[in-house]
Amino acid sequence: MTGQMDACPPVAGGASFLHDARRADPDRFFCALFVPPAARMAAMVLIAFNHECTRAVATPASWAVAGPMAGLIRLQWWRDVLESGNAQRHDTAVALLDLLGRGVVRRETLEGIITARECELDGLPDRAAWQASMLDGAGGVQVAMAQAAGFAESTLLARIRLMGGIYGVGALVRYLPAVLRAGRCPLPEDALAHVGLTRDGLRTGQATSAQIATLRDGLRQQGREWLDMVREGPRLPRAALATGLPAVLGLRDMRGRVDGDGSASPRGVGDRLAVMGALLRGWV
């Protein structure tokens, strides 16, 4: 399945992408070290691209003046890059278009990552919209890595998508107060209303610890549902499982203890061993 990738030329600026991916997204960086070697640098480019899209929605300083417009403009720039094929001398854009040009990843998967962040800015009215955003965003990153590793079968990619969603849910459980302080609100409005909150109220820091705890419980429930769906199928090929390894960290975050101030313990050797153990077992 991965043989078609063996002769792929290296990504230009590979060392820089390794450094940037490790700094910007250490969780995905560590997990990407276990994807097939021929797909590893593509994974680093995808991490960098996702980081750019996520940065576009974290705009607390400008939100009061421009609302979502500043973020939407940044995301439209990336959409224009994919549509025009013009990287405008942006290193990540150059590498991303190279992956597209070689057929390493699918354009619709990358566009889904952009759309997920646009929907977050526009507002996620209900659970269904939020689920789609989470699976296209966090899930889409891992699907793109699976495509880079040579996997194309739809059922397999759907399970990798769920695994990416599990990581996204776990990351929200772990970092929710920090995410909100950064000006983001990647939560469905009906869930917020259920605990007496609004998107604007969250951005101004009005959520109580009890409200945050209830939101976290809802996230954990969704993660468990997606995990059950992943486990309904047969074991994934080891190379495919490697592209979904962030789910292991997401599960640990869902189960982990969160301190009274909303912070979580730093990543440690237990997290790394859990990732490697899942790969050795061939199961999450």
Side-chain angles (χ1 to χ4, degrees), residues 159-187:
R159 293 173 70 194
I160 297 297
R161 186 172 183 249
L162 290 168
M163 293 174 74
I166 291 168
Y167 173 69
V169 164
L172 275 183
V173 171
R174 179 182 179 89
Y175 298 115
L176 186 56
V179 167
L180 299 176
R181 287 194 298 270
R184 296 182 58 192
C185 187
L187 295 167

mmCIF file with all atom_site columns, all heavy atoms in Angstrom, residues 159-187:
data_model
loop_
_atom_site.group_PDB
_atom_site.id
_atom_site.type_symbol
_atom_site.label_atom_id
_atom_site.label_alt_id
_atom_site.label_comp_id
_atom_site.label_asym_id
_atom_site.label_entity_id
_atom_site.label_seq_id
_atom_site.pdbx_PDB_ins_code
_atom_site.Cartn_x
_atom_site.Cartn_y
_atom_site.Cartn_z
_atom_site.occupancy
_atom_site.B_iso_or_equiv
_atom_site.pdbx_formal_charge
_atom_site.auth_seq_id
_atom_site.auth_comp_id
_atom_site.auth_asym_id
_atom_site.auth_atom_id
_atom_site.pdbx_PDB_model_num
ATOM 1   N N   . ARG A 1 159 ? -12.276 5.736  9.419  1.00 0.00 ? 159 ARG A N   1
ATOM 2   C CA  . ARG A 1 159 ? -11.861 5.413  10.790 1.00 0.00 ? 159 ARG A CA  1
ATOM 3   C C   . ARG A 1 159 ? -10.702 6.291  11.243 1.00 0.00 ? 159 ARG A C   1
ATOM 4   O O   . ARG A 1 159 ? -10.648 6.716  12.401 1.00 0.00 ? 159 ARG A O   1
ATOM 5   C CB  . ARG A 1 159 ? -11.499 3.921  10.869 1.00 0.00 ? 159 ARG A CB  1
ATOM 6   C CG  . ARG A 1 159 ? -12.719 3.014  10.673 1.00 0.00 ? 159 ARG A CG  1
ATOM 7   C CD  . ARG A 1 159 ? -12.305 1.559  10.576 1.00 0.00 ? 159 ARG A CD  1
ATOM 8   N NE  . ARG A 1 159 ? -11.832 1.070  11.861 1.00 0.00 ? 159 ARG A NE  1
ATOM 9   C CZ  . ARG A 1 159 ? -11.154 -0.079 12.012 1.00 0.00 ? 159 ARG A CZ  1
ATOM 10  N NH1 . ARG A 1 159 ? -10.842 -0.796 10.936 1.00 0.00 ? 159 ARG A NH1 1
ATOM 11  N NH2 . ARG A 1 159 ? -10.773 -0.483 13.198 1.00 0.00 ? 159 ARG A NH2 1
ATOM 12  N N   . ILE A 1 160 ? -9.778  6.577  10.342 1.00 0.00 ? 160 ILE A N   1
ATOM 13  C CA  . ILE A 1 160 ? -8.695  7.507  10.674 1.00 0.00 ? 160 ILE A CA  1
ATOM 14  C C   . ILE A 1 160 ? -9.272  8.889  10.982 1.00 0.00 ? 160 ILE A C   1
ATOM 15  O O   . ILE A 1 160 ? -8.808  9.587  11.895 1.00 0.00 ? 160 ILE A O   1
ATOM 16  C CB  . ILE A 1 160 ? -7.686  7.587  9.521  1.00 0.00 ? 160 ILE A CB  1
ATOM 17  C CG1 . ILE A 1 160 ? -7.012  6.230  9.292  1.00 0.00 ? 160 ILE A CG1 1
ATOM 18  C CG2 . ILE A 1 160 ? -6.635  8.665  9.793  1.00 0.00 ? 160 ILE A CG2 1
ATOM 19  C CD1 . ILE A 1 160 ? -6.199  5.729  10.452 1.00 0.00 ? 160 ILE A CD1 1
ATOM 20  N N   . ARG A 1 161 ? -10.286 9.281  10.242 1.00 0.00 ? 161 ARG A N   1
ATOM 21  C CA  . ARG A 1 161 ? -10.959 10.567 10.485 1.00 0.00 ? 161 ARG A CA  1
ATOM 22  C C   . ARG A 1 161 ? -11.533 10.615 11.897 1.00 0.00 ? 161 ARG A C   1
ATOM 23  O O   . ARG A 1 161 ? -11.399 11.631 12.602 1.00 0.00 ? 161 ARG A O   1
ATOM 24  C CB  . ARG A 1 161 ? -12.055 10.745 9.436  1.00 0.00 ? 161 ARG A CB  1
ATOM 25  C CG  . ARG A 1 161 ? -12.769 12.094 9.428  1.00 0.00 ? 161 ARG A CG  1
ATOM 26  C CD  . ARG A 1 161 ? -13.675 12.155 8.213  1.00 0.00 ? 161 ARG A CD  1
ATOM 27  N NE  . ARG A 1 161 ? -14.350 13.437 8.075  1.00 0.00 ? 161 ARG A NE  1
ATOM 28  C CZ  . ARG A 1 161 ? -15.657 13.614 8.239  1.00 0.00 ? 161 ARG A CZ  1
ATOM 29  N NH1 . ARG A 1 161 ? -16.432 12.578 8.572  1.00 0.00 ? 161 ARG A NH1 1
ATOM 30  N NH2 . ARG A 1 161 ? -16.202 14.810 8.084  1.00 0.00 ? 161 ARG A NH2 1
ATOM 31  N N   . LEU A 1 162 ? -12.176 9.531  12.318 1.00 0.00 ? 162 LEU A N   1
ATOM 32  C CA  . LEU A 1 162 ? -12.706 9.465  13.682 1.00 0.00 ? 162 LEU A CA  1
ATOM 33  C C   . LEU A 1 162 ? -11.588 9.550  14.709 1.00 0.00 ? 162 LEU A C   1
ATOM 34  O O   . LEU A 1 162 ? -11.730 10.194 15.756 1.00 0.00 ? 162 LEU A O   1
ATOM 35  C CB  . LEU A 1 162 ? -13.494 8.172  13.868 1.00 0.00 ? 162 LEU A CB  1
ATOM 36  C CG  . LEU A 1 162 ? -14.825 8.069  13.121 1.00 0.00 ? 162 LEU A CG  1
ATOM 37  C CD1 . LEU A 1 162 ? -15.343 6.631  13.169 1.00 0.00 ? 162 LEU A CD1 1
ATOM 38  C CD2 . LEU A 1 162 ? -15.862 9.021  13.706 1.00 0.00 ? 162 LEU A CD2 1
ATOM 39  N N   . MET A 1 163 ? -10.458 8.898  14.423 1.00 0.00 ? 163 MET A N   1
ATOM 40  C CA  . MET A 1 163 ? -9.328  8.947  15.353 1.00 0.00 ? 163 MET A CA  1
ATOM 41  C C   . MET A 1 163 ? -8.787  10.365 15.486 1.00 0.00 ? 163 MET A C   1
ATOM 42  O O   . MET A 1 163 ? -8.425  10.812 16.577 1.00 0.00 ? 163 MET A O   1
ATOM 43  C CB  . MET A 1 163 ? -8.236  7.977  14.900 1.00 0.00 ? 163 MET A CB  1
ATOM 44  C CG  . MET A 1 163 ? -8.665  6.514  14.996 1.00 0.00 ? 163 MET A CG  1
ATOM 45  S SD  . MET A 1 163 ? -7.452  5.363  14.297 1.00 0.00 ? 163 MET A SD  1
ATOM 46  C CE  . MET A 1 163 ? -6.193  5.403  15.582 1.00 0.00 ? 163 MET A CE  1
ATOM 47  N N   . GLY A 1 164 ? -8.742  11.091 14.364 1.00 0.00 ? 164 GLY A N   1
ATOM 48  C CA  . GLY A 1 164 ? -8.351  12.490 14.442 1.00 0.00 ? 164 GLY A CA  1
ATOM 49  C C   . GLY A 1 164 ? -9.346  13.295 15.264 1.00 0.00 ? 164 GLY A C   1
ATOM 50  O O   . GLY A 1 164 ? -8.959  14.183 16.035 1.00 0.00 ? 164 GLY A O   1
ATOM 51  N N   . GLY A 1 165 ? -10.636 12.985 15.117 1.00 0.00 ? 165 GLY A N   1
ATOM 52  C CA  . GLY A 1 165 ? -11.650 13.654 15.911 1.00 0.00 ? 165 GLY A CA  1
ATOM 53  C C   . GLY A 1 165 ? -11.486 13.378 17.397 1.00 0.00 ? 165 GLY A C   1
ATOM 54  O O   . GLY A 1 165 ? -11.687 14.266 18.237 1.00 0.00 ? 165 GLY A O   1
ATOM 55  N N   . ILE A 1 166 ? -11.110 12.153 17.741 1.00 0.00 ? 166 ILE A N   1
ATOM 56  C CA  . ILE A 1 166 ? -10.868 11.805 19.146 1.00 0.00 ? 166 ILE A CA  1
ATOM 57  C C   . ILE A 1 166 ? -9.731  12.642 19.711 1.00 0.00 ? 166 ILE A C   1
ATOM 58  O O   . ILE A 1 166 ? -9.804  13.129 20.841 1.00 0.00 ? 166 ILE A O   1
ATOM 59  C CB  . ILE A 1 166 ? -10.566 10.301 19.274 1.00 0.00 ? 166 ILE A CB  1
ATOM 60  C CG1 . ILE A 1 166 ? -11.825 9.479  18.983 1.00 0.00 ? 166 ILE A CG1 1
ATOM 61  C CG2 . ILE A 1 166 ? -10.026 9.962  20.669 1.00 0.00 ? 166 ILE A CG2 1
ATOM 62  C CD1 . ILE A 1 166 ? -11.559 7.996  18.812 1.00 0.00 ? 166 ILE A CD1 1
ATOM 63  N N   . TYR A 1 167 ? -8.679  12.816 18.917 1.00 0.00 ? 167 TYR A N   1
ATOM 64  C CA  . TYR A 1 167 ? -7.590  13.664 19.394 1.00 0.00 ? 167 TYR A CA  1
ATOM 65  C C   . TYR A 1 167 ? -8.072  15.097 19.599 1.00 0.00 ? 167 TYR A C   1
ATOM 66  O O   . TYR A 1 167 ? -7.741  15.744 20.596 1.00 0.00 ? 167 TYR A O   1
ATOM 67  C CB  . TYR A 1 167 ? -6.406  13.657 18.427 1.00 0.00 ? 167 TYR A CB  1
ATOM 68  C CG  . TYR A 1 167 ? -5.362  14.669 18.834 1.00 0.00 ? 167 TYR A CG  1
ATOM 69  C CD1 . TYR A 1 167 ? -4.607  14.482 19.986 1.00 0.00 ? 167 TYR A CD1 1
ATOM 70  C CD2 . TYR A 1 167 ? -5.176  15.847 18.112 1.00 0.00 ? 167 TYR A CD2 1
ATOM 71  C CE1 . TYR A 1 167 ? -3.673  15.433 20.396 1.00 0.00 ? 167 TYR A CE1 1
ATOM 72  C CE2 . TYR A 1 167 ? -4.253  16.798 18.513 1.00 0.00 ? 167 TYR A CE2 1
ATOM 73  C CZ  . TYR A 1 167 ? -3.506  16.579 19.661 1.00 0.00 ? 167 TYR A CZ  1
ATOM 74  O OH  . TYR A 1 167 ? -2.607  17.523 20.080 1.00 0.00 ? 167 TYR A OH  1
ATOM 75  N N   . GLY A 1 168 ? -8.849  15.602 18.638 1.00 0.00 ? 168 GLY A N   1
ATOM 76  C CA  . GLY A 1 168 ? -9.358  16.961 18.764 1.00 0.00 ? 168 GLY A CA  1
ATOM 77  C C   . GLY A 1 168 ? -10.217 17.147 19.996 1.00 0.00 ? 168 GLY A C   1
ATOM 78  O O   . GLY A 1 168 ? -10.115 18.164 20.699 1.00 0.00 ? 168 GLY A O   1
ATOM 79  N N   . VAL A 1 169 ? -11.064 16.169 20.286 1.00 0.00 ? 169 VAL A N   1
ATOM 80  C CA  . VAL A 1 169 ? -11.908 16.227 21.482 1.00 0.00 ? 169 VAL A CA  1
ATOM 81  C C   . VAL A 1 169 ? -11.046 16.218 22.738 1.00 0.00 ? 169 VAL A C   1
ATOM 82  O O   . VAL A 1 169 ? -11.249 17.015 23.667 1.00 0.00 ? 169 VAL A O   1
ATOM 83  C CB  . VAL A 1 169 ? -12.899 15.051 21.485 1.00 0.00 ? 169 VAL A CB  1
ATOM 84  C CG1 . VAL A 1 169 ? -13.512 14.868 22.868 1.00 0.00 ? 169 VAL A CG1 1
ATOM 85  C CG2 . VAL A 1 169 ? -13.993 15.275 20.449 1.00 0.00 ? 169 VAL A CG2 1
ATOM 86  N N   . GLY A 1 170 ? -10.077 15.305 22.777 1.00 0.00 ? 170 GLY A N   1
ATOM 87  C CA  . GLY A 1 170 ? -9.207  15.221 23.950 1.00 0.00 ? 170 GLY A CA  1
ATOM 88  C C   . GLY A 1 170 ? -8.422  16.491 24.173 1.00 0.00 ? 170 GLY A C   1
ATOM 89  O O   . GLY A 1 170 ? -8.248  16.944 25.311 1.00 0.00 ? 170 GLY A O   1
ATOM 90  N N   . ALA A 1 171 ? -7.958  17.099 23.069 1.00 0.00 ? 171 ALA A N   1
ATOM 91  C CA  . ALA A 1 171 ? -7.208  18.348 23.193 1.00 0.00 ? 171 ALA A CA  1
ATOM 92  C C   . ALA A 1 171 ? -8.087  19.455 23.760 1.00 0.00 ? 171 ALA A C   1
ATOM 93  O O   . ALA A 1 171 ? -7.627  20.279 24.561 1.00 0.00 ? 171 ALA A O   1
ATOM 94  C CB  . ALA A 1 171 ? -6.639  18.754 21.835 1.00 0.00 ? 171 ALA A CB  1
ATOM 95  N N   . LEU A 1 172 ? -9.362  19.481 23.374 1.00 0.00 ? 172 LEU A N   1
ATOM 96  C CA  . LEU A 1 172 ? -10.266 20.472 23.937 1.00 0.00 ? 172 LEU A CA  1
ATOM 97  C C   . LEU A 1 172 ? -10.500 20.222 25.429 1.00 0.00 ? 172 LEU A C   1
ATOM 98  O O   . LEU A 1 172 ? -10.557 21.162 26.223 1.00 0.00 ? 172 LEU A O   1
ATOM 99  C CB  . LEU A 1 172 ? -11.598 20.463 23.187 1.00 0.00 ? 172 LEU A CB  1
ATOM 100 C CG  . LEU A 1 172 ? -11.677 21.289 21.909 1.00 0.00 ? 172 LEU A CG  1
ATOM 101 C CD1 . LEU A 1 172 ? -13.085 21.220 21.327 1.00 0.00 ? 172 LEU A CD1 1
ATOM 102 C CD2 . LEU A 1 172 ? -11.291 22.735 22.158 1.00 0.00 ? 172 LEU A CD2 1
ATOM 103 N N   . VAL A 1 173 ? -10.664 18.956 25.803 1.00 0.00 ? 173 VAL A N   1
ATOM 104 C CA  . VAL A 1 173 ? -10.810 18.648 27.225 1.00 0.00 ? 173 VAL A CA  1
ATOM 105 C C   . VAL A 1 173 ? -9.594  19.141 27.997 1.00 0.00 ? 173 VAL A C   1
ATOM 106 O O   . VAL A 1 173 ? -9.709  19.763 29.059 1.00 0.00 ? 173 VAL A O   1
ATOM 107 C CB  . VAL A 1 173 ? -10.996 17.128 27.443 1.00 0.00 ? 173 VAL A CB  1
ATOM 108 C CG1 . VAL A 1 173 ? -10.916 16.771 28.933 1.00 0.00 ? 173 VAL A CG1 1
ATOM 109 C CG2 . VAL A 1 173 ? -12.332 16.663 26.864 1.00 0.00 ? 173 VAL A CG2 1
ATOM 110 N N   . ARG A 1 174 ? -8.441  18.898 27.451 1.00 0.00 ? 174 ARG A N   1
ATOM 111 C CA  . ARG A 1 174 ? -7.189  19.238 28.134 1.00 0.00 ? 174 ARG A CA  1
ATOM 112 C C   . ARG A 1 174 ? -6.949  20.745 28.194 1.00 0.00 ? 174 ARG A C   1
ATOM 113 O O   . ARG A 1 174 ? -6.572  21.295 29.233 1.00 0.00 ? 174 ARG A O   1
ATOM 114 C CB  . ARG A 1 174 ? -6.028  18.555 27.399 1.00 0.00 ? 174 ARG A CB  1
ATOM 115 C CG  . ARG A 1 174 ? -4.637  18.823 27.983 1.00 0.00 ? 174 ARG A CG  1
ATOM 116 C CD  . ARG A 1 174 ? -3.588  18.128 27.129 1.00 0.00 ? 174 ARG A CD  1
ATOM 117 N NE  . ARG A 1 174 ? -2.236  18.359 27.629 1.00 0.00 ? 174 ARG A NE  1
ATOM 118 C CZ  . ARG A 1 174 ? -1.621  17.600 28.525 1.00 0.00 ? 174 ARG A CZ  1
ATOM 119 N NH1 . ARG A 1 174 ? -2.258  16.552 29.035 1.00 0.00 ? 174 ARG A NH1 1
ATOM 120 N NH2 . ARG A 1 174 ? -0.389  17.875 28.928 1.00 0.00 ? 174 ARG A NH2 1
ATOM 121 N N   . TYR A 1 175 ? -7.187  21.417 27.071 1.00 0.00 ? 175 TYR A N   1
ATOM 122 C CA  . TYR A 1 175 ? -6.756  22.811 26.946 1.00 0.00 ? 175 TYR A CA  1
ATOM 123 C C   . TYR A 1 175 ? -7.912  23.807 26.874 1.00 0.00 ? 175 TYR A C   1
ATOM 124 O O   . TYR A 1 175 ? -7.681  24.973 26.538 1.00 0.00 ? 175 TYR A O   1
ATOM 125 C CB  . TYR A 1 175 ? -5.899  22.976 25.687 1.00 0.00 ? 175 TYR A CB  1
ATOM 126 C CG  . TYR A 1 175 ? -4.638  22.166 25.677 1.00 0.00 ? 175 TYR A CG  1
ATOM 127 C CD1 . TYR A 1 175 ? -4.446  21.141 24.752 1.00 0.00 ? 175 TYR A CD1 1
ATOM 128 C CD2 . TYR A 1 175 ? -3.609  22.422 26.589 1.00 0.00 ? 175 TYR A CD2 1
ATOM 129 C CE1 . TYR A 1 175 ? -3.271  20.401 24.732 1.00 0.00 ? 175 TYR A CE1 1
ATOM 130 C CE2 . TYR A 1 175 ? -2.437  21.686 26.570 1.00 0.00 ? 175 TYR A CE2 1
ATOM 131 C CZ  . TYR A 1 175 ? -2.277  20.675 25.645 1.00 0.00 ? 175 TYR A CZ  1
ATOM 132 O OH  . TYR A 1 175 ? -1.112  19.938 25.620 1.00 0.00 ? 175 TYR A OH  1
ATOM 133 N N   . LEU A 1 176 ? -9.129  23.423 27.180 1.00 0.00 ? 176 LEU A N   1
ATOM 134 C CA  . LEU A 1 176 ? -10.283 24.275 26.923 1.00 0.00 ? 176 LEU A CA  1
ATOM 135 C C   . LEU A 1 176 ? -10.136 25.699 27.468 1.00 0.00 ? 176 LEU A C   1
ATOM 136 O O   . LEU A 1 176 ? -10.371 26.664 26.729 1.00 0.00 ? 176 LEU A O   1
ATOM 137 C CB  . LEU A 1 176 ? -11.563 23.622 27.465 1.00 0.00 ? 176 LEU A CB  1
ATOM 138 C CG  . LEU A 1 176 ? -12.863 24.364 27.137 1.00 0.00 ? 176 LEU A CG  1
ATOM 139 C CD1 . LEU A 1 176 ? -13.026 24.567 25.637 1.00 0.00 ? 176 LEU A CD1 1
ATOM 140 C CD2 . LEU A 1 176 ? -14.065 23.590 27.694 1.00 0.00 ? 176 LEU A CD2 1
ATOM 141 N N   . PRO A 1 177 ? -9.752  25.908 28.728 1.00 0.00 ? 177 PRO A N   1
ATOM 142 C CA  . PRO A 1 177 ? -9.614  27.301 29.196 1.00 0.00 ? 177 PRO A CA  1
ATOM 143 C C   . PRO A 1 177 ? -8.610  28.110 28.372 1.00 0.00 ? 177 PRO A C   1
ATOM 144 O O   . PRO A 1 177 ? -8.866  29.271 28.035 1.00 0.00 ? 177 PRO A O   1
ATOM 145 C CB  . PRO A 1 177 ? -9.150  27.132 30.653 1.00 0.00 ? 177 PRO A CB  1
ATOM 146 C CG  . PRO A 1 177 ? -9.660  25.795 31.063 1.00 0.00 ? 177 PRO A CG  1
ATOM 147 C CD  . PRO A 1 177 ? -9.521  24.949 29.832 1.00 0.00 ? 177 PRO A CD  1
ATOM 148 N N   . ALA A 1 178 ? -7.490  27.484 28.022 1.00 0.00 ? 178 ALA A N   1
ATOM 149 C CA  . ALA A 1 178 ? -6.471  28.194 27.231 1.00 0.00 ? 178 ALA A CA  1
ATOM 150 C C   . ALA A 1 178 ? -6.983  28.488 25.829 1.00 0.00 ? 178 ALA A C   1
ATOM 151 O O   . ALA A 1 178 ? -6.713  29.557 25.260 1.00 0.00 ? 178 ALA A O   1
ATOM 152 C CB  . ALA A 1 178 ? -5.190  27.376 27.173 1.00 0.00 ? 178 ALA A CB  1
ATOM 153 N N   . VAL A 1 179 ? -7.721  27.547 25.243 1.00 0.00 ? 179 VAL A N   1
ATOM 154 C CA  . VAL A 1 179 ? -8.285  27.753 23.907 1.00 0.00 ? 179 VAL A CA  1
ATOM 155 C C   . VAL A 1 179 ? -9.236  28.944 23.918 1.00 0.00 ? 179 VAL A C   1
ATOM 156 O O   . VAL A 1 179 ? -9.217  29.804 23.029 1.00 0.00 ? 179 VAL A O   1
ATOM 157 C CB  . VAL A 1 179 ? -9.008  26.480 23.427 1.00 0.00 ? 179 VAL A CB  1
ATOM 158 C CG1 . VAL A 1 179 ? -9.860  26.759 22.197 1.00 0.00 ? 179 VAL A CG1 1
ATOM 159 C CG2 . VAL A 1 179 ? -8.002  25.377 23.114 1.00 0.00 ? 179 VAL A CG2 1
ATOM 160 N N   . LEU A 1 180 ? -10.066 29.020 24.944 1.00 0.00 ? 180 LEU A N   1
ATOM 161 C CA  . LEU A 1 180 ? -11.018 30.119 25.042 1.00 0.00 ? 180 LEU A CA  1
ATOM 162 C C   . LEU A 1 180 ? -10.309 31.448 25.270 1.00 0.00 ? 180 LEU A C   1
ATOM 163 O O   . LEU A 1 180 ? -10.702 32.477 24.708 1.00 0.00 ? 180 LEU A O   1
ATOM 164 C CB  . LEU A 1 180 ? -12.016 29.837 26.166 1.00 0.00 ? 180 LEU A CB  1
ATOM 165 C CG  . LEU A 1 180 ? -12.870 28.574 25.988 1.00 0.00 ? 180 LEU A CG  1
ATOM 166 C CD1 . LEU A 1 180 ? -13.745 28.347 27.207 1.00 0.00 ? 180 LEU A CD1 1
ATOM 167 C CD2 . LEU A 1 180 ? -13.713 28.659 24.727 1.00 0.00 ? 180 LEU A CD2 1
ATOM 168 N N   . ARG A 1 181 ? -9.263  31.430 26.086 1.00 0.00 ? 181 ARG A N   1
ATOM 169 C CA  . ARG A 1 181 ? -8.506  32.661 26.320 1.00 0.00 ? 181 ARG A CA  1
ATOM 170 C C   . ARG A 1 181 ? -7.844  33.160 25.045 1.00 0.00 ? 181 ARG A C   1
ATOM 171 O O   . ARG A 1 181 ? -7.578  34.352 24.888 1.00 0.00 ? 181 ARG A O   1
ATOM 172 C CB  . ARG A 1 181 ? -7.448  32.455 27.415 1.00 0.00 ? 181 ARG A CB  1
ATOM 173 C CG  . ARG A 1 181 ? -8.014  32.350 28.816 1.00 0.00 ? 181 ARG A CG  1
ATOM 174 C CD  . ARG A 1 181 ? -6.908  32.488 29.859 1.00 0.00 ? 181 ARG A CD  1
ATOM 175 N NE  . ARG A 1 181 ? -5.908  31.435 29.765 1.00 0.00 ? 181 ARG A NE  1
ATOM 176 C CZ  . ARG A 1 181 ? -5.984  30.275 30.414 1.00 0.00 ? 181 ARG A CZ  1
ATOM 177 N NH1 . ARG A 1 181 ? -7.025  30.010 31.210 1.00 0.00 ? 181 ARG A NH1 1
ATOM 178 N NH2 . ARG A 1 181 ? -5.021  29.364 30.283 1.00 0.00 ? 181 ARG A NH2 1
ATOM 179 N N   . ALA A 1 182 ? -7.542  32.239 24.126 1.00 0.00 ? 182 ALA A N   1
ATOM 180 C CA  . ALA A 1 182 ? -6.919  32.609 22.850 1.00 0.00 ? 182 ALA A CA  1
ATOM 181 C C   . ALA A 1 182 ? -7.922  33.204 21.868 1.00 0.00 ? 182 ALA A C   1
ATOM 182 O O   . ALA A 1 182 ? -7.551  33.568 20.748 1.00 0.00 ? 182 ALA A O   1
ATOM 183 C CB  . ALA A 1 182 ? -6.246  31.391 22.227 1.00 0.00 ? 182 ALA A CB  1
ATOM 184 N N   . GLY A 1 183 ? -9.177  33.312 22.271 1.00 0.00 ? 183 GLY A N   1
ATOM 185 C CA  . GLY A 1 183 ? -10.180 33.908 21.409 1.00 0.00 ? 183 GLY A CA  1
ATOM 186 C C   . GLY A 1 183 ? -10.936 32.930 20.553 1.00 0.00 ? 183 GLY A C   1
ATOM 187 O O   . GLY A 1 183 ? -11.748 33.328 19.711 1.00 0.00 ? 183 GLY A O   1
ATOM 188 N N   . ARG A 1 184 ? -10.712 31.642 20.748 1.00 0.00 ? 184 ARG A N   1
ATOM 189 C CA  . ARG A 1 184 ? -11.404 30.633 19.962 1.00 0.00 ? 184 ARG A CA  1
ATOM 190 C C   . ARG A 1 184 ? -12.656 30.154 20.702 1.00 0.00 ? 184 ARG A C   1
ATOM 191 O O   . ARG A 1 184 ? -12.732 30.238 21.927 1.00 0.00 ? 184 ARG A O   1
ATOM 192 C CB  . ARG A 1 184 ? -10.490 29.439 19.688 1.00 0.00 ? 184 ARG A CB  1
ATOM 193 C CG  . ARG A 1 184 ? -9.276  29.761 18.855 1.00 0.00 ? 184 ARG A CG  1
ATOM 194 C CD  . ARG A 1 184 ? -8.470  28.500 18.596 1.00 0.00 ? 184 ARG A CD  1
ATOM 195 N NE  . ARG A 1 184 ? -9.265  27.476 17.922 1.00 0.00 ? 184 ARG A NE  1
ATOM 196 C CZ  . ARG A 1 184 ? -8.897  26.211 17.770 1.00 0.00 ? 184 ARG A CZ  1
ATOM 197 N NH1 . ARG A 1 184 ? -7.729  25.814 18.269 1.00 0.00 ? 184 ARG A NH1 1
ATOM 198 N NH2 . ARG A 1 184 ? -9.666  25.343 17.146 1.00 0.00 ? 184 ARG A NH2 1
ATOM 199 N N   . CYS A 1 185 ? -13.614 29.650 19.910 1.00 0.00 ? 185 CYS A N   1
ATOM 200 C CA  . CYS A 1 185 ? -14.805 29.059 20.507 1.00 0.00 ? 185 CYS A CA  1
ATOM 201 C C   . CYS A 1 185 ? -15.237 27.863 19.661 1.00 0.00 ? 185 CYS A C   1
ATOM 202 O O   . CYS A 1 185 ? -16.264 27.906 18.975 1.00 0.00 ? 185 CYS A O   1
ATOM 203 C CB  . CYS A 1 185 ? -15.932 30.084 20.609 1.00 0.00 ? 185 CYS A CB  1
ATOM 204 S SG  . CYS A 1 185 ? -17.372 29.458 21.521 1.00 0.00 ? 185 CYS A SG  1
ATOM 205 N N   . PRO A 1 186 ? -14.462 26.779 19.673 1.00 0.00 ? 186 PRO A N   1
ATOM 206 C CA  . PRO A 1 186 ? -14.769 25.611 18.844 1.00 0.00 ? 186 PRO A CA  1
ATOM 207 C C   . PRO A 1 186 ? -15.777 24.667 19.510 1.00 0.00 ? 186 PRO A C   1
ATOM 208 O O   . PRO A 1 186 ? -15.549 23.470 19.663 1.00 0.00 ? 186 PRO A O   1
ATOM 209 C CB  . PRO A 1 186 ? -13.395 24.948 18.689 1.00 0.00 ? 186 PRO A CB  1
ATOM 210 C CG  . PRO A 1 186 ? -12.698 25.267 19.976 1.00 0.00 ? 186 PRO A CG  1
ATOM 211 C CD  . PRO A 1 186 ? -13.209 26.621 20.404 1.00 0.00 ? 186 PRO A CD  1
ATOM 212 N N   . LEU A 1 187 ? -16.916 25.224 19.930 1.00 0.00 ? 187 LEU A N   1
ATOM 213 C CA  . LEU A 1 187 ? -17.948 24.457 20.627 1.00 0.00 ? 187 LEU A CA  1
ATOM 214 C C   . LEU A 1 187 ? -19.308 24.778 20.012 1.00 0.00 ? 187 LEU A C   1
ATOM 215 O O   . LEU A 1 187 ? -19.535 25.902 19.541 1.00 0.00 ? 187 LEU A O   1
ATOM 216 C CB  . LEU A 1 187 ? -17.963 24.805 22.119 1.00 0.00 ? 187 LEU A CB  1
ATOM 217 C CG  . LEU A 1 187 ? -16.717 24.438 22.919 1.00 0.00 ? 187 LEU A CG  1
ATOM 218 C CD1 . LEU A 1 187 ? -16.746 25.121 24.281 1.00 0.00 ? 187 LEU A CD1 1
ATOM 219 C CD2 . LEU A 1 187 ? -16.600 22.933 23.089 1.00 0.00 ? 187 LEU A CD2 1
#
